[in-house]
Amino acid sequence: MSPTLGRLVRWAPAVLWMAVIFILSAQPGLAVSHDPAVELPIRRVAHAGVFALLTLLIAYAVRAGQAHRRLLAAGVLAAIYGLTDELHQA
């Protein structure tokens, strides 16, 4: 496998997950419950899980440097994507 193809294969899961996040965040009125006492905690846990998975997928794609540095860099990139997604929702 060529290095370029290898990079594309490693980044594909992260990019696909970003597309899923983008599509779901564009859905108006997406809710689990109409009760705020239920909706808010579920939404917070879902956000944490979605962006934790994105962080891991980006860390897998980066593949350079020590593990803790990769995770830190991936977390920063996932947070930046989260900020752009919030702008997209606004």
Side-chain angles (χ1 to χ4, degrees):
M1 183 180 322
S2 74
T4 303
L5 183 58
R7 258 186 248 113
L8 287 174
V9 168
R10 283 195 315 272
W11 276 99
V15 171
L16 289 173
W17 191 240
M18 287 180 199
V20 168
I21 293 169
F22 183 85
I23 290 166
L24 289 176
S25 70
Q27 304 301 312
L30 191 62
V32 175
S33 172
H34 296 297
D35 181 0
V38 174
E39 180 71 16
L40 188 59
I42 289 176
R43 198 171 277 277
R44 285 188 177 160
V45 170
H47 274 90
V50 163
F51 286 100
L53 178 57
L54 180 58
T55 298
L56 293 175
L57 292 172
I58 293 171
Y60 168 76
V62 171
R63 285 268 186 94
Q66 299 172 342
H68 69 281
R69 289 182 189 258
R70 274 199 321 260
L71 279 174
L72 179 62
V76 168
L77 289 173
I80 290 169
Y81 184 77
L83 289 172
T84 64
D85 188 56
E86 290 298 323
L87 292 173
H88 164 246
Q89 291 176 30

